[in-house]
Amino acid sequence: MRGWTAPWARITGRDREPPADGQRRARPRFLRAALSRAPLPLRGLRFRLVVAFALVAVVSALSTGALAFREARTGVLQQSQDAVIRQFRASVDSVAAHTPMAPSQAQLQAAVDEVFYANEGQGWWLQATYGHLHADAPTGTFDGFNKLTPELRRSTQTRRAAVFQRVTFDGHPQLVVGMPVTYNSGADTESRLSGIVMYLVVPQDTEQAYVDAMISGIEHATLVALALAVVLALIAARGVLRPVRALRRATRRMAEGHLDVRLAVNGSDELADLSRSFNDTAAALERSVAELRRLEAQARRFVADVSHELRTPLAAMSAVTDVLDENAPHLGKETGDALRLISEGTGRLSTLVEDLMEISRFDAGAVTLNPDEIDLAESVRRTLASRGWTGLVDTDLPRPGALRARVDPRRLDVVMANLAGNALRHGATPVRLTMRSRQEDDGVAWAVIEVTDSGPGIAEEALPHIFERFYKASTTRSRSQSSGLGLAITAENVRLHGGRISAANRPGGGAAFTVELPLHRDSATADDAGGAV
C-alpha cells in the first residue's frame, strides 16, 4: 500500500521581518502602563497566582490533549483505512479472476456490481474504468470520479499497489481508494497492469464522530483542569498571602508605634525567613528606640534639674544687680559699664532658664491648660499695654465682645508677646497686628491673628526651621539677644490650644506670622470687621 497526500506549503520565519528596536522597547512599557491602569484587585498577588496557575493548566491540558488527539486520530483513521483497503483488495482479486483483460462495458459493469453486492451494507461507492469505459455502482449515484485529483488518477495508472486519499465532499469526510487490477501470467513472473482501475469511496462519518468525541473529551478535560488549577491557585494564594497579610498588619502596627509586635514563624521557606528577619529588625528597632528614649529622658531631666538649680542663685544675683543698678550712677564709668553688662547678662540668663523650664514642662507633658472664655481682642490690647507697646504696634482688632474664645489667658499673652516682641526686635516699623474670624467649608470657625513687620523678612532657607529650638535666622536679621526658644514656646502654646501657626514673607517685604485658634460655633460672629485701635 502506498499513500498519497496533496502538496503543502510552509511559511518559514524568513517571511517575517523582525520588529524594530523601538517596537521591542515599547512593548514592556505598554504592558507596564496597562498593568498600572488595571484595577487594584487585578494587580494583586492572588489574581496573578490564579492567572499563572490557569495558564499553566490550560497550556498543559491543550498540549497534552493535542498530542493525544493526534495519536488517537491517526490510529483510528489508520485502522479504518487498513481494514477498508484489505477488504477492497480481496473483493477486487476475487472479481479479477474471471474478468477478461479487455472487458466490454457490460463486463466492466458486472465486475463493479459483483464487488458492490459482495460488500453491500458498507456504504461503498464504486467505479471501474478501462480506457474510455467506466461503470458505477450503485448505478448513476456517484459523480466523485470527476472530483478525483489528477495525482491520484496518474498514480493508479502507473502503480501496482493501492493508492488512497482522504477528501471532504459536501462537508462529509470520505476515503478514496484507487486499486489497479493486475494479472500474473505464471509463477515467478511479475504481475502486469490490466488497465482496469477500481475506485472506492467510503464515507468516514463514523470515524469523524470518534474524532469529534475525542475533541469534546479534550475540551471537557481542559475545563476540568482549568477549574482544578483555579482551586489549587486559590489554595496556594491563601497559603502565600496569609504570612504576607500578617506582615502587613505587623508593619502597620509598628508604624503606629507598637514596636513589640512580632510574627509567628512557621516552616523553613522564604516566607519564614522573611518573618524571622522582620522579628529581628523589630527587636533591634525596639532596643534602639528604647535606648534613644532613655537618653532623651535623661537629657530632659538634666535640663530641668539644671534649670531648677539655677533659679535660686539667679534670683539672688538678680536682687544684687538690682541694688547695684541703683548705685551705678554714683560709680565710675568703667565700673558702671561693668555693672550694666553683669545686669544684662543676668537678665538674659534668667530669661533662658525660664524658657528652658517651660520647654522641659512641654517635653515632660506636664503642661496643663487653664481655659477661660475671654475676649480675644481685649486680651491682645492688655498684652501690648502691659509692655508699653501700644504706640509701637498698629492694631486692627474686632470691636469689644465680637470675637470670644475659650483659651488660657496666660499662654495667649505669651504667644502675643513673643510675636509682637519678635517683630519689634528683629523687624522694622511699622509693626501691625490684625485679628479676624474665618469659617471653613466644614463649618469649623477659626480666630486668625496675624503679626507683620516691615523688616528684611526671613531667609527662604530659614523658613522651615523658624520654630525650631535655639534656631536663629541671623543671616537676615540683626543679632539676636534672645534665647532662641521664644518661637518654639509660642508654637507649643498654639498647638496646645489645637491651633496652627505659620511664618511667611510678605510680597511687599517683611515677615508675617499667622496664628489660627479654633472657635466655638457661637464664638464667631458674622461681623468680622474690626476697628483700628
Side-chain angles (χ1 to χ4, degrees), residues 110-391:
V112 171
D113 291 339
E114 184 178 350
V115 174
F116 176 76
Y117 289 113
N119 299 279
E120 190 175 9
Q122 300 293 326
W124 286 10
W125 290 330
L126 295 170
Q127 188 175 75
T129 63
Y130 178 73
H132 63 280
L133 302 178
H134 65 87
D136 300 334
T139 305
T141 60
F142 176 64
D143 59 353
F145 179 73
N146 297 326
K147 298 179 181 179
L148 297 179
T149 62
E151 291 82 358
L152 180 64
R153 287 183 291 181
R154 284 195 299 267
S155 297
T156 57
Q157 297 296 328
T158 59
R159 300 178 185 274
R160 292 175 173 79
V163 181
F164 69 90
Q165 184 181 31
R166 295 189 185 96
V167 296
T168 300
F169 289 157
D170 298 330
H172 296 282
Q174 296 174 346
L175 175 64
V176 180
V177 181
M179 182 77 68
V181 178
T182 60
Y183 291 93
N184 292 326
S185 58
D188 300 329
T189 60
E190 186 180 2
S191 61
R192 294 183 296 110
L193 293 173
S194 65
I196 302 173
V197 180
M198 290 280 190
Y199 292 101
L200 168 66
V201 177
V202 181
Q204 289 195 309
D205 293 332
T206 302
E207 289 77 5
Q208 184 62 37
Y210 290 152
V211 173
D212 293 341
M214 284 189 292
I215 295 176
S216 178
I218 292 173
E219 292 176 350
H220 287 93
T222 302
L223 292 178
V224 172
L226 179 60
L228 182 61
V230 171
V231 173
L232 292 177
L234 292 175
I235 295 175
R238 182 179 180 183
V240 171
L241 292 178
R242 185 185 296 112
V244 173
R245 291 196 187 100
L247 178 60
R248 181 179 61 185
R249 289 192 298 268
T251 304
R252 288 179 177 176
R253 285 183 55 82
M254 181 178 290
E256 294 171 356
H258 302 281
L259 301 181
D260 58 341
V261 63
R262 297 293 185 272
L263 292 175
V265 180
N266 298 317
S268 58
D269 55 6
E270 290 81 358
L271 292 174
D273 292 339
L274 179 61
S275 299
R276 279 190 288 269
S277 299
F278 175 84
N279 291 339
D280 295 340
T281 303
L285 181 60
E286 185 178 16
R287 290 191 298 269
S288 300
V289 171
E291 181 65 16
L292 290 174
R293 288 175 177 173
R294 185 184 65 82
L295 295 176
E296 184 181 9
Q298 287 183 351
R300 289 176 179 175
R301 284 196 301 270
F302 174 76
V303 172
D305 293 342
V306 170
S307 301
H308 181 74
E309 294 298 328
L310 288 175
R311 294 184 71 180
T312 300
L314 277 175
M317 292 172 60
S318 297
V320 171
T321 54
D322 290 341
V323 174
L324 293 177
D325 285 340
E326 294 177 358
N327 297 324
H330 307 292
L331 300 176
K333 183 178 183 304
E334 293 182 358
T335 304
D337 293 340
L339 288 176
R340 279 191 294 275
L341 289 176
I342 293 174
S343 179
E344 291 175 0
T346 303
R348 290 178 56 195
L349 186 57
S350 298
T351 301
L352 176 60
V353 169
E354 292 298 329
D355 290 346
L356 287 174
M357 290 292 293
E358 185 72 3
I359 285 292
S360 65
R361 283 191 287 269
F362 279 115
D363 291 340
V367 176
T368 57
L369 281 177
N370 297 305
D372 191 12
E373 187 80 18
I374 64 171
D375 183 349
L376 296 180
E378 183 60 28
S379 176
V380 170
R381 291 188 184 97
R382 285 198 299 267
T383 297
L384 299 178
S386 64
R387 290 164 177 80
W389 296 340
T390 302

